[in-house]
């Protein structure tokens, strides 16, 4: 029995171990999960003209998972850490944002990986994928002038209370 079958599918947030399953298997899992998410949007967004165009209540209650799924579906590369918590690869990192229901997306990597050099272009790609998935995305500069995205539900949709 595979990992997904025993523990359920988890999108890569950039804070887990490197993805160990074959790329084709992982891509199929991501595709299935995203199709399920779109089905949830269709079923719960019947009052909207395009139900697939905005996050569903399920996503608003699990924004880190929903944003990570949208990024992984877009083909963006997640960062990863080893068992000691040391960052071992460059890529996106998704975490809770500063306000309830918001998500922070950074481009990070181990020292010498070039993540800081690549972040502008990489985050622009992440922002485009998230906007396409119906999220509101703002670009900020944080400490040491490192860029990051703050991702929120579109106006008129309130975020959930649960954090993931």
């Amino acid at each position: 029995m595979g990992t997904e079958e025993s523990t359920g599918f988890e999108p890569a947030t950039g804070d887990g171990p490197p993805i160990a399953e074959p790329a084709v298997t992982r891509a199929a899992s991501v595709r299935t999960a995203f199709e399920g998410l779109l089905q949830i949007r269709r079923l719960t967004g019947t009052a909207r003209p395009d139900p697939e165009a905005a996050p569903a209540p399920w996503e608003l209650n699990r924004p880190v998972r929903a944003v990570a799924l949208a990024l992984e579906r877009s083909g963006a590369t997640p960062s990863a850490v080893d068992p000691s918590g040391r960052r071992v690869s460059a890529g996106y990192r998704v975490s809770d944002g500063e306000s309830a229901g918001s998500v922070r997306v950074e481009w990070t990597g181990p020292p010498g990986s070039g993540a800081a050099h690549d972040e502008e272009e990489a985050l622009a790609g992440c922002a485009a994928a998230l906007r396409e998935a119906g999220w509101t995305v703002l670009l900020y500069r944080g400490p040491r002038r490192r860029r990051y995205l703050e991702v929120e539900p579109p106006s008129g949709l309130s975020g959930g209370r649960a954090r993931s």
Side-chain angles (χ1 to χ4, degrees):
M1 182 156 32
T3 304
E4 180 182 338
E5 294 168 344
S6 60
T7 62
F9 176 80
E10 284 295 326
T13 63
D15 278 336
I19 296 171
E21 63 191 309
V24 69
T25 303
R26 183 67 184 188
S29 296
V30 169
R31 187 172 42 258
T32 299
F34 197 77
E35 287 169 2
L37 183 124
L38 291 178
Q39 182 65 13
I40 291 169
R41 285 183 177 192
R42 285 189 290 272
L43 293 171
T44 61
T46 56
R48 292 191 298 266
D50 182 1
E52 291 183 12
W58 180 91
E59 295 169 87
L60 302 180
N61 286 317
R62 297 160 192 82
V64 168
R65 289 183 73 192
V67 166
L69 178 58
L71 289 174
E72 195 170 354
R73 188 245 181 201
S74 77
T77 303
S79 184
V81 295
D82 67 14
S84 71
R86 187 177 59 90
R87 200 141 304 273
V88 295
S89 64
Y92 67 79
R93 177 180 182 262
V94 181
S95 59
D96 288 325
E98 292 185 22
S99 61
S102 73
V103 174
R104 182 181 176 123
V105 177
E106 305 168 278
W107 195 262
T108 188
S113 67
H117 175 72
D118 298 337
E119 76 181 3
E120 183 174 11
E121 183 178 342
L123 287 175
C126 291
L130 293 169
R131 287 184 183 111
E132 183 180 315
W135 294 91
T136 298
V137 182
L138 303 168
L139 175 66
Y140 290 100
R141 279 193 190 262
R144 297 185 311 266
R145 303 199 36 86
R146 294 292 305 264
R147 295 171 182 89
Y148 67 92
L149 304 175
E150 192 75 18
V151 184
E152 304 170 339
S155 297
L157 293 179
S158 58
R161 298 200 191 332
R163 304 298 286 223
S164 54

